[in-house]
Amino acid sequence: MKKILFLLIILSTILLGKDIKTNELLKNLNNPEWIIVDTRDSNEYNGWNLSNLKINGHIKGATDLSANWLKTKYLNSNNKEILKQRVLEKGIIPEKNIVLYGTSTEMKDVEKYLKENGVKNIYFYDFEKNKDYDRLPFETYKNYEILVPATWVKNAMDKNEIKVLKYLGEV
């Protein structure tokens, strides 16, 4: 019975992914066998704090694979191949341990895509479950504020916020 339970635990970890804690992530940040993947909106990866975290940007050394990139309305046959190539270029390959972080929905969407493409060693790092995430090294892109999210610009223009228009040089 113990052997069956052990096998079920191992199988569920392989099939469902495994949650990891801050200490385990810290231990593997510089390990070339581990790829850390930010599944949030690319604007958050750049530096915008859209999730109200204690810290801006992305985990230092992480790559991005936004769940937004996987939305059907953006994917046609041509850019599906481009996306596959970009994922490989980022080192997200079956031989590596892949740590996904973001919201549970974002992580699950990216997990599904990766599993469909042969990646099995998937781990999850959830900021909600790991309140000590600010122990991780974070970084932002220099001048990320200039790379404003398109939704922010649209919302500001819809509200006719003159300061945005001045910033964009239209007034």
Side-chain angles (χ1 to χ4, degrees):
M1 185 65 176
K2 287 182 182 180
K3 287 182 182 180
I4 292 172
L5 184 58
F6 179 74
L7 287 173
L8 287 174
I9 291 170
I10 297 295
L11 185 60
S12 69
T13 299
I14 292 169
L15 294 176
L16 302 175
K18 176 187 171 202
D19 287 333
I20 65 169
K21 301 288 182 203
T22 302
N23 284 339
E24 188 174 358
L25 184 55
L26 278 166
K27 183 177 76 174
N28 289 298
L29 279 179
N30 297 314
N31 183 337
E33 296 303 312
W34 290 73
I35 305 294
I36 315 303
V37 180
D38 190 330
T39 64
R40 301 172 302 156
D41 183 289
S42 295
N43 295 300
E44 290 187 275
Y45 180 85
N46 293 343
W48 286 95
N49 191 348
L50 304 177
S51 300
N52 298 317
L53 296 176
K54 294 183 261 184
I55 197 159
N56 290 26
H58 59 273
I59 297 171
K60 189 172 184 170
T63 190
D64 60 335
L65 175 52
S66 174
N68 291 336
W69 301 351
L70 306 174
K71 292 184 178 172
T72 309
K73 66 182 180 180
Y74 302 122
L75 289 178
N76 58 38
S77 59
N78 185 40
N79 55 18
K80 279 183 184 180
E81 286 306 312
I82 293 170
L83 178 60
K84 243 184 216 187
Q85 185 61 38
R86 295 297 174 266
V87 168
L88 292 175
E89 289 170 1
K90 291 172 179 283
I92 305 171
I93 56 176
E95 297 79 25
K96 303 283 183 169
N97 295 303
I98 308 299
V99 178
L100 304 177
Y101 71 92
T103 67
S104 58
T105 303
E106 292 163 336
M107 289 188 289
K108 290 295 181 188
D109 289 347
V110 173
E111 176 195 31
K112 180 178 183 258
Y113 173 81
L114 293 177
K115 284 188 173 188
E116 288 170 355
N117 287 282
V119 177
K120 293 178 179 63
N121 301 324
I122 298 174
Y123 298 82
F124 301 106
Y125 183 79
D126 187 332
F127 292 131
E128 285 297 313
K129 293 179 182 176
N130 295 283
K131 299 293 185 185
D132 61 344
Y133 65 83
D134 56 344
R135 292 177 43 220
L136 295 166
F138 275 72
E139 63 185 354
T140 62
Y141 283 137
K142 184 178 179 184
N143 299 321
Y144 72 88
E145 306 91 349
I146 297 171
L147 300 170
V148 295
T151 54
W152 181 83
V153 173
K154 182 184 181 324
N155 289 339
M157 291 177 75
D158 288 348
K159 294 176 186 174
N160 200 19
E161 293 182 359
I162 195 74
K163 64 184 177 187
V164 172
L165 298 176
K166 282 183 182 176
Y167 181 78
L168 295 174
E170 294 180 18
V171 173

